[in-house]
Amino acid sequence: MSLVVVGSVAYDGIETPHGRTDRTLGGACTYIALSASYFTQAKIVGVVGDDFDPKDEELLRNHNIDLEGLERVPGKTFYWAGKYSNDMNDRETLVTDLNVFGDFNPKLPEAYKNQPYLVLGNIQPALQRSVRAQMNGVRLVGGDTMNYWIKDYRDELLATIREWDFLLINDSEARMLSGEHNLRKAAGKILGMGPNTLVIKRGEYGAILFRPDGHSIVPGYLLDEVFDPTGAGDCFAGGFIGYLAERGFDLKQGHIGHKELSRAVIYGSVLGSFCCERFGVDRFRSLTRAEIDARFDEFRAFTEF
Amino acid sequence: MSLVVVGSVAYDGIETPHGRTDRTLGGACTYIALSASYFTQAKIVGVVGDDFDPKDEELLRNHNIDLEGLERVPGKTFYWAGKYSNDMNDRETLVTDLNVFGDFNPKLPEAYKNQPYLVLGNIQPALQRSVRAQMNGVRLVGGDTMNYWIKDYRDELLATIREWDFLLINDSEARMLSGEHNLRKAAGKILGMGPNTLVIKRGEYGAILFRPDGHSIVPGYLLDEVFDPTGAGDCFAGGFIGYLAERGFDLKQGHIGHKELSRAVIYGSVLGSFCCERFGVDRFRSLTRAEIDARFDEFRAFTEF
């Protein structure tokens, strides 16, 4: 079933110990949609400038992504540039030019409004909320946020996630949002804020999925080489929600089992790991569903006992 | 089958955000032996001063630990004191008084020399090697080391681990020993140094076991509260080797399957997690095998998919 994806579409300049690129397609919406496209049709909502490259549009179309909601306005596309530390555990932002993204006010095409699945990339919580309000009877909604909104837009963020089924954040964001250092306690508090499903991403260490009745832990995939981690968290989100949409699940208690939920988290980990193998979105130029399923099976092999 | 455990027996002063204790039983040998004692008889080799408390001896005896190799000499027992940071990810050493441990030269009682299992806690590599040389036809030997020996006693350490079946170290030590940041590459190099089994401990994130033919990843157990992490790595070692000894496994290729190895790693994680629930060795005053097996079963529940 189709999935509406909202968030940034951008150009990124990236420097890692393995090389650099001055300008490559990026943005949360892009990464989520490309990852989810292996499971379901993604319909994106975003904004780009008149510098948006037809070749990038072609990459998205090749993944059967619906671009009706991709607004094109005069000006330049959002540009971000960053540099990773030698161990790639830290990155420094060098440039953030919001450009046309500064006035992003997502409006859903009519054909999007009755879709059952909605994932909201990391944007202003009020905008995330306005998108949610434009949907008619959405079956499953969730998304991402970041430290900036948690710290300075807390009330808006709380009003937004109150209407979500799942929240996907990293461990430091979970600690900041809950005020608890211990992840079990942090998760308990966050599950009281609205979502019945919380996925805490831990980078190379994998992820933990919390529900009111228990949790699942999924380790990270061990890559031979992390080429560029940009977008890995968004690809995780795309794999997670993509799998749920493909199977037609919602997240209501009793509607989905613990093992199915773990599989969704593993597909998230799988997509995040592929993302790191090349610069930017490059891995998605060749990635196949068969490769994704083969890596899923590897998870079974290295975790079973 | 019995297990010989060699290492420090100490008194520790510990301060964590949850409280402090000026003097409690500690030391790698103590933690390893207590953890392994739930699976097999542990025979310890260590040294204490004349201040060693009969009540502490009683705790060890209550775990059926053989104390014939515990030397008592005039003077004071090794004393260490440290303070943990608020998030418990860092600790500062406040006091290291080697005392009688400064002249530790492990000599194995005759009855120990024909035992099949040997685990060497973190001590000078040359001493670890001398213990190995005192054993007759040991079936499985391995142990721990630390950054200090890797950096300043590299040749001695390499000569020592060349004779080991397994090496158990944390991720930063694996990176230092191999000169590789990527853990897969680091493991490949270390497996070329002698041991056919490498366990890389990752603290709260669990552990990875590497063998020439593949790897297994085990997540860490999520505690509601980490009271005191002192000794958790040694308890991991005790649970790991204890389980192998209980089942009579060695680590030769073809003698043990991938799933059994993962179970040993999970028992390591289980013992490490219990250790963190109380100050020092306190959790071992009440811990039962049934609790250990119940937590092992929890691992199955939160990792299956």
Side-chain angles (χ1 to χ4, degrees):
Chain A
M1 299 190 207
S2 291
L3 167 71
V4 176
V5 183
V6 185
S8 59
V9 178
Y11 283 114
D12 291 342
I14 302 165
E15 188 173 344
T16 81
H18 302 291
R20 57 176 292 166
T21 172
D22 285 336
R23 185 180 170 86
T24 189
L25 180 62
C29 182
T30 308
Y31 282 109
I32 297 170
L34 283 170
S35 297
S37 74
Y38 290 87
F39 303 90
T40 189
Q41 193 195 31
K43 295 174 175 293
I44 69 174
V45 180
V47 63
V48 294
D50 41 30
D51 59 346
F52 195 64
D53 192 327
K55 283 185 186 157
D56 291 322
E57 188 174 318
E58 195 188 334
L59 174 69
L60 301 176
R61 288 202 194 282
N62 287 344
H63 283 76
N64 191 32
I65 293 170
D66 185 341
L67 304 182
E68 191 189 344
L70 183 64
E71 202 183 345
R72 292 122 206 274
V73 300
K76 285 187 165 184
T77 302
F78 179 20
Y79 183 77
W80 173 88
K83 183 180 171 176
Y84 287 86
S85 62
N86 278 337
D87 64 6
M88 289 206 260
N89 287 335
D90 294 301
R91 77 176 183 195
E92 184 192 352
T93 290
L94 302 173
V95 183
T96 306
D97 288 337
L98 289 178
N99 299 326
V100 301
F101 189 63
D103 297 318
F104 182 45
N105 187 8
K107 278 183 213 73
L108 268 54
E110 283 306 315
Y112 283 30
K113 293 185 178 173
N114 292 309
Q115 301 305 324
Y117 292 90
L118 172 64
V119 60
L120 296 149
N122 165 38
I123 53 173
Q124 232 265 32
L127 293 184
Q128 292 176 321
R129 206 168 158 208
S130 86
V131 173
R132 169 76 182 81
Q134 292 172 56
M135 299 283 287
N136 303 319
V138 67
R139 176 190 298 194
L140 202 174
V141 57
D144 194 8
T145 191
M146 70 183 289
N147 50 6
Y148 177 64
W149 312 120
I150 296 171
K151 192 162 163 286
D152 292 341
Y153 290 72
R154 189 176 175 85
D155 290 344
E156 237 171 272
L157 178 65
L158 291 178
T160 300
I161 66 173
R162 197 171 299 137
E163 301 171 340
W164 289 7
D165 300 292
F166 73 88
L167 174 65
L168 234 151
I169 49 180
N170 70 33
D171 40 9
S172 68
E173 291 159 353
R175 286 172 172 138
M176 186 186 271
L177 178 58
S178 64
E180 291 281 353
H181 180 77
N182 179 284
L183 289 185
R184 268 181 111 137
K185 289 183 182 166
K189 283 203 174 172
I190 294 169
L191 290 176
M193 296 174 183
N196 69 14
T197 304
L198 169 68
V199 182
I200 297 184
K201 297 175 286 180
R202 307 163 107 187
E204 64 175 307
Y205 302 111
I208 315 177
L209 179 141
F210 291 94
R211 299 260 286 177
D213 61 353
H215 67 273
S216 308
I217 309 185
V218 170
Y221 184 81
L222 278 190
L223 285 166
D224 274 322
E225 188 161 86
V226 175
F227 203 83
D228 171 18
T230 309
D234 294 315
C235 290
F236 184 102
F240 174 76
I241 184 72
Y243 176 76
L244 294 176
E246 178 186 56
R247 298 296 172 110
F249 285 120
D250 64 42
L251 289 170
K252 293 184 188 67
Q253 295 282 345
H255 284 226
I256 182 165
H258 152 86
K259 290 185 188 183
E260 283 292 352
L261 275 165
S262 292
R263 282 174 210 151
V265 177
I266 289 166
Y267 275 111
S269 278
V270 166
L271 270 297
S273 72
F274 278 117
C275 176
C276 295
E277 292 184 349
R278 299 278 186 286
F279 264 126
V281 297
D282 278 357
R283 190 62 180 88
F284 293 97
R285 301 187 195 284
S286 63
L287 184 66
T288 65
R289 177 64 189 255
E291 288 178 299
I292 292 169
D293 288 335
R295 188 162 289 182
F296 180 93
D297 290 339
E298 275 190 73
F299 267 80
R300 198 172 293 286
F302 66 67
T303 60
E304 71 185 347
F305 63 90
Chain B
M1 299 193 208
S2 291
L3 167 71
V4 176
V5 183
V6 184
S8 59
V9 179
Y11 283 112
D12 292 342
I14 303 164
E15 188 172 344
T16 81
H18 301 292
R20 58 177 292 167
T21 169
D22 286 335
R23 185 181 171 85
T24 187
L25 180 63
C29 182
T30 307
Y31 282 108
I32 297 170
L34 283 170
S35 297
S37 74
Y38 290 88
F39 303 89
T40 188
Q41 193 196 30
K43 296 175 175 292
I44 68 173
V45 179
V47 62
V48 293
D50 42 30
D51 59 347
F52 195 65
D53 192 327
K55 282 185 187 156
D56 291 322
E57 187 175 318
E58 194 187 334
L59 174 68
L60 300 177
R61 287 200 195 282
N62 286 344
H63 284 76
N64 190 33
I65 293 170
D66 185 341
L67 303 181
E68 192 189 342
L70 183 65
E71 202 183 345
R72 291 123 205 274
V73 299
K76 284 188 166 182
T77 301
F78 179 20
Y79 182 77
W80 173 86
K83 183 180 172 176
Y84 287 86
S85 62
N86 277 336
D87 64 7
M88 289 206 259
N89 287 333
D90 294 301
R91 77 176 184 197
E92 183 192 354
T93 290
L94 303 174
V95 183
T96 306
D97 287 337
L98 289 179
N99 299 328
V100 300
F101 189 63
D103 298 317
F104 182 44
N105 187 8
K107 276 182 215 75
L108 268 56
E110 283 306 315
Y112 283 29
K113 294 183 179 175
N114 291 309
Q115 300 305 324
Y117 292 91
L118 171 63
V119 61
L120 296 149
N122 165 37
I123 53 173
Q124 231 266 30
L127 293 184
Q128 292 176 319
R129 207 169 157 206
S130 87
V131 173
R132 169 76 182 78
Q134 293 172 55
M135 298 285 286
N136 303 319
V138 66
R139 175 191 298 194
L140 202 174
V141 57
D144 193 9
T145 190
M146 71 183 288
N147 50 5
Y148 177 63
W149 312 120
I150 296 172
K151 193 163 163 283
D152 293 340
Y153 289 73
R154 188 174 176 85
D155 291 343
E156 236 171 272
L157 178 66
L158 292 178
T160 299
I161 65 173
R162 198 170 298 137
E163 302 171 338
W164 289 7
D165 299 292
F166 73 88
L167 174 64
L168 233 152
I169 50 181
N170 69 33
D171 41 9
S172 68
E173 291 159 353
R175 287 173 171 138
M176 185 185 272
L177 178 58
S178 65
E180 291 282 353
H181 181 77
N182 180 284
L183 288 185
R184 268 181 112 138
K185 290 183 183 167
K189 283 203 176 175
I190 294 169
L191 290 177
M193 295 175 183
N196 69 15
T197 304
L198 169 67
V199 183
I200 297 183
K201 297 174 286 179
R202 307 164 107 187
E204 63 176 306
Y205 301 111
I208 314 177
L209 180 140
F210 291 94
R211 299 260 286 177
D213 61 352
H215 67 273
S216 309
I217 309 185
V218 170
Y221 185 81
L222 279 189
L223 285 166
D224 273 322
E225 187 161 85
V226 175
F227 203 82
D228 170 18
T230 309
D234 295 314
C235 290
F236 183 102
F240 174 75
I241 184 71
Y243 176 76
L244 294 176
E246 178 187 55
R247 296 297 171 110
F249 285 119
D250 64 43
L251 289 170
K252 292 183 188 69
Q253 296 282 343
H255 283 228
I256 182 166
H258 152 86
K259 289 186 187 181
E260 283 292 352
L261 274 166
S262 292
R263 284 175 209 150
V265 177
I266 289 166
Y267 274 112
S269 278
V270 167
L271 269 296
S273 72
F274 278 118
C275 177
C276 295
E277 292 184 349
R278 299 277 187 286
F279 264 126
V281 297
D282 278 357
R283 189 62 179 86
F284 293 98
R285 300 186 197 283
S286 63
L287 184 66
T288 65
R289 177 64 188 255
E291 287 179 297
I292 291 169
D293 288 334
R295 188 162 290 183
F296 180 93
D297 291 339
E298 275 191 73
F299 267 80
R300 198 173 292 286
F302 66 67
T303 60
E304 71 185 347
F305 64 90

